[in-house]
């Protein structure tokens, strides 16, 4: 992200996690595509971390992450690889939701 993009980041509608690179980030990318059909998912791989984003709302479901990882998964475990996020976050036992509320 260039300096101009950083200074205007608050003006866009992008939401989603920033993950440390690795197995969990790969699973989140896969789940983002599967759990948000019809949405453009942008993936910015910076080697050490991966920014996964879309406009307005992104949902990641536990069952999709389990399938991508090939093992059982608990939603709080996502926080281990989560270094940051854009938007607001809502967590439930079976999903995590990144979303945006625009102030008028």
């Amino acid at each position: 992200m260039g300096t101009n993009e950083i200074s205007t980041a608050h003006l866009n509608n992008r939401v989603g996690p920033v993950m440390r690179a690795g197995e969990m980030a790969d699973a989140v990318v896969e789940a983002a595509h599967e759990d948000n059909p019809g949405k453009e998912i942008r993936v910015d791989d910076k080697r050490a971390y991966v920014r996964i984003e879309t406009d307005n709302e992104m949902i990641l479901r536990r069952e999709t992450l389990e399938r991508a990882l090939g093992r059982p998964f608990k939603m709080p475990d996502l926080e281990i690889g989560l270094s940051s996020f854009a938007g607001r976050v809502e967590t439930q036992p079976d999903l995590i939701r990144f979303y945006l509320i625009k102030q008028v």
Side-chain angles (χ1 to χ4, degrees):
M1 201 183 265
T3 305
N4 191 36
E5 288 180 70
I6 291 171
S7 65
T8 60
H10 67 285
L11 300 175
N12 67 42
N13 295 329
R14 295 177 186 158
V15 298
V18 178
M19 305 292 300
R20 281 192 283 274
E23 175 191 40
M24 183 64 64
D26 295 341
V28 168
V29 169
E30 187 174 325
H33 285 285
E34 188 173 331
D35 290 339
N36 300 276
K39 295 193 98 170
E40 178 188 356
I41 305 297
R42 291 177 291 278
V43 179
D44 187 9
D45 187 342
K46 298 292 191 184
R47 297 178 92 170
Y49 68 90
V50 180
R51 181 180 304 276
I52 304 122
E53 61 187 14
T54 192
D55 292 330
N56 301 315
E57 180 183 53
M58 178 185 294
I59 294 185
L60 301 172
R61 300 183 192 289
R62 181 185 50 79
E63 65 184 71
T64 311
L65 289 163
E66 285 181 335
R67 202 167 34 256
L69 289 165
R71 60 178 166 80
F73 177 78
K74 293 180 182 155
M75 292 311 288
D77 293 344
L78 185 72
E79 294 175 20
I80 294 168
L82 184 69
S83 56
S84 184
F85 62 90
R88 295 179 183 226
V89 66
E90 173 188 349
T91 58
Q92 298 177 19
D94 291 326
L95 66 82
I96 187 166
R97 175 180 170 237
F98 300 91
Y99 64 101
L100 183 69
I101 296 179
K102 280 276 192 182
Q103 301 295 322
V104 271

